[in-house]
Amino acid sequence: QVGGYVTAVLVQDFERVKAGQILVTIDDRIYRQRVAQGSASIAAQSANLSNSEQSRRSAEAQVQLQDASIGNAKAQLARAQADMRRVNELVNEGSVSLRERDQTLAALRQAEAAVRQAEAQRQIALEQVRSVGVGRGGLEAGVANAEAARGLADIDLQNTIVRAPRDGTLSEVPVRVGQLVNPGSQLMYLVPQRHWV
């Protein structure tokens, strides 16, 4: 099922063999490297997936930070509203100038804007959490793909050892060490134990 140079022929013409016995080995160096390459790819994809988990935790921490910012901004707004109520009462009594009232009103508007800004920042942080979640699906698929590729490489490596599929007697064994074989090449015949005429 794989191509390469024959490195060993472990049977002779007309020899009796058992199921699973090794008949021929094919140079496996390229196939071993493909398995190693597959393992490295799995490690890289897994590292990306782990980084994604860290990014998710960081994004969730940003949401919590923005929650705290909203709480702080709302506290500042409540204070500014209370200040505004007091200043309005004092203006009516003539104890505070209109200039001071305008400054307090400006502080109130600034506090209202700070609450809106903190809420918008929280929404951005939530979108970042969603974005990391969407990206994670792609990274998980990348890990699965790398594992599947290594699985195929493992199969090819195992196929560099040609084994007898069942008990029987070999025909002539024309394959020789150093011969280049390709998938589907006929190496020898295996005659089953049952005879027929």
Side-chain angles (χ1 to χ4, degrees), residues 19 40 50 58 74 76 101 118 133-134 137 139 144 148 151 155 159 171-172:
S50 295
S58 177
K74 285 182 176 179
Q76 295 297 326
R101 186 193 71 176
V134 169
L139 293 172
I155 291 169
N159 285 334
S171 64
E172 278 188 60

Side-chain angles (χ1 to χ4, degrees), residues 2-14:
V2 296
Y5 289 98
V6 174
T7 55
V9 178
L10 303 171
V11 289
Q12 297 177 0
D13 296 345
F14 311 114

Side-chain angles (χ1 to χ4, degrees), residues 32-196:
R32 286 187 187 283
Q33 288 302 311
R34 286 183 183 157
V35 169
Q37 185 179 33
S39 296
S41 180
I42 289 171
Q45 294 294 334
S46 296
N48 288 340
L49 188 58
S50 295
N51 286 341
S52 168
E53 181 61 24
Q54 175 60 33
S55 296
R56 183 189 60 79
R57 286 194 298 270
S58 177
E60 287 173 351
Q62 281 295 325
V63 171
Q64 292 174 352
L65 177 65
Q66 293 308 319
D67 285 341
S69 294
I70 289 171
N72 182 44
K74 285 182 176 179
Q76 295 297 326
L77 175 60
R79 191 188 74 189
Q81 288 168 337
D83 287 348
M84 192 68 214
R85 281 192 299 273
R86 280 191 294 275
V87 166
N88 281 335
E89 290 171 5
L90 293 173
V91 165
N92 293 337
E93 295 173 3
S95 301
V96 173
S97 69
L98 291 175
R99 181 175 179 270
E100 288 177 286
R101 186 193 71 176
D102 291 343
Q103 287 175 341
T104 305
L105 181 60
L108 174 63
R109 298 290 179 249
Q110 191 174 19
E112 290 170 344
V115 169
R116 288 192 300 273
Q117 182 180 11
E119 289 171 343
Q121 290 293 336
R122 183 182 189 281
Q123 193 59 38
I124 290 170
L126 284 173
E127 290 302 322
Q128 182 61 29
V129 170
R130 288 188 195 102
S131 175
V132 169
V134 169
R136 183 173 176 80
L139 293 172
E140 287 171 345
V143 171
N145 185 45
E147 288 172 345
R150 191 189 62 189
L152 291 173
D154 283 335
I155 291 169
D156 283 345
L157 178 61
Q158 291 168 15
N159 285 334
T160 61
I161 299 173
V162 180
R163 298 177 184 274
R166 61 179 180 262
D167 293 351
T169 304
L170 298 176
S171 64
E172 278 188 60
V173 180
V175 67
R176 298 289 176 249
V177 172
Q179 180 179 342
L180 177 63
V181 294
N182 295 306
S185 296
Q186 185 79 42
L187 303 180
M188 63 194 74
Y189 289 100
L190 177 62
V191 180
Q193 297 286 16
R194 192 164 55 108
H195 299 286
W196 58 275

